[in-house]
Amino acid sequence: MQVVTKLIPTKLISNRSPLPQKSQQRIERSELLKRLSKANAYPLTLVIAPAGYGKTTLVSQWKEKLLAKNELVAWFSLDESDNNAEQFCHYFSSALSQVTGISLQGISYKNNLIDYFSQLLILLAEIPRHFYLIMDDYHLIENSEIHDALRFWLKHQPQTMSLVLLSRLTPPLSITNLRIHEQLLEIDVHQLAFTPTETRQFFEQKLDETLSDEVIF
């Protein structure tokens, strides 16, 4: 697989940024946003559910709230081509460089993702402010080298960093161990399901009419 040397800018931004038009009204998931507000206390946050449950929309809402508070937030939208370890490392490090300001000129990828991550971790140890890296569609990653390197990353991740993964499947990243040690914040399909109030808001926005309780329930 040919490695991308020029990065695609749209992979490093959320594609769910809110628009001001009435037709783009959204349901604000207040309880879930409150839960996500605790992500800075955890090395890893997982948002896991099948397609259509609003993972990206929810986390995009949260990202906008963080940015409004001048928090440091990076975004990396994954696709199948990111199973190439070298390409993955370029996007991963570029996202972190954009948000923290670290220079990547002094480090290089030499066919070993863990070695590259070690170099990157040394640079990030000097960052005093808390920062977030959100990675969307992690279920597309099937390369065991990337999973192994990310497990290494989570073991040595700076305390000033929070990693947020959106996925349709539970990633093979020693999740049980993180859960046992209370190092994991989770939002799953049950929590992402609309409450009755949110269901009413959703359909009233779509249909532009008020619905009765009988219809909702």
Side-chain angles (χ1 to χ4, degrees):
M1 180 186 297
Q2 184 177 3
V3 177
V4 173
T5 53
K6 291 186 178 180
L7 304 183
I8 302 171
T10 53
K11 284 172 61 67
L12 298 177
I13 60 174
S14 167
N15 62 357
R16 290 288 189 273
S17 297
L19 299 175
Q21 302 298 324
K22 183 178 179 180
S23 61
Q24 297 295 329
Q25 287 179 311
R26 300 171 304 155
I27 305 300
E28 181 161 304
R29 313 298 304 276
S30 301
E31 289 302 315
L32 293 181
L33 290 171
K34 182 178 179 181
R35 184 169 178 79
L36 282 171
S37 70
K38 301 175 183 178
N40 63 344
Y42 296 87
L44 178 63
T45 295
L46 282 181
V47 183
I48 301 179
Y53 272 79
K55 299 183 296 295
T56 303
T57 300
L58 168 66
V59 177
S60 294
Q61 288 182 13
W62 175 58
K63 185 192 100 169
E64 295 301 323
K65 289 184 178 294
L66 289 174
L67 292 176
K69 297 177 183 178
N70 294 316
E71 298 282 358
L72 303 178
V73 189
W75 188 285
F76 176 14
S77 294
L78 295 152
D79 59 41
E80 289 86 351
S81 68
D82 295 310
N83 277 287
N84 180 287
E86 184 174 0
Q87 176 168 311
F88 181 92
C89 90
H90 287 318
Y91 276 106
F92 186 88
S93 59
S94 293
L96 290 172
S97 176
Q98 286 183 12
V99 76
T100 64
I102 61 170
S103 172
L104 302 175
Q105 292 183 351
I107 64 175
S108 59
Y109 177 81
K110 299 177 181 178
N111 297 316
N112 188 314
L113 191 53
I114 289 180
D115 177 69
Y116 184 87
F117 275 5
S118 297
Q119 299 175 65
L120 189 57
L121 285 163
I122 292 171
L123 296 178
L124 290 173
E126 304 300 321
I127 304 301
R129 286 186 60 189
H130 198 91
F131 59 97
Y132 302 82
L133 173 59
I134 301 167
M135 292 201 292
D136 197 4
D137 287 335
Y138 191 79
H139 56 273
L140 296 175
I141 299 301
E142 300 176 343
N143 185 341
S144 60
E145 180 184 358
I146 294 175
H147 297 318
D148 291 344
L150 209 53
R151 280 193 292 270
F152 170 83
W153 180 274
L154 285 165
K155 184 177 180 180
H156 301 284
Q157 181 173 286
Q159 292 187 347
T160 52
M161 176 177 170
S162 294
L163 180 63
V164 182
L165 298 183
L166 286 65
S167 180
R168 297 180 188 177
L169 304 170
T170 301
L173 299 175
S174 302
I175 298 304
T176 300
N177 186 56
L178 290 168
R179 190 181 289 133
I180 290 172
H181 290 89
E182 298 183 343
Q183 295 182 316
L184 178 66
L185 178 65
E186 297 178 87
I187 294 178
D188 62 21
V189 62
H190 302 291
Q191 294 161 316
L192 280 164
F194 274 177
T195 65
T197 298
E198 291 168 341
T199 301
R200 179 192 300 277
Q201 292 174 348
F202 176 79
F203 282 108
E204 287 183 351
Q205 284 184 14
K206 293 294 183 182
L207 302 175
D208 197 24
E209 63 179 89
T210 303
L211 301 178
S212 66
D213 289 345
E214 289 77 8
V215 172
I216 297 298
F217 294 99

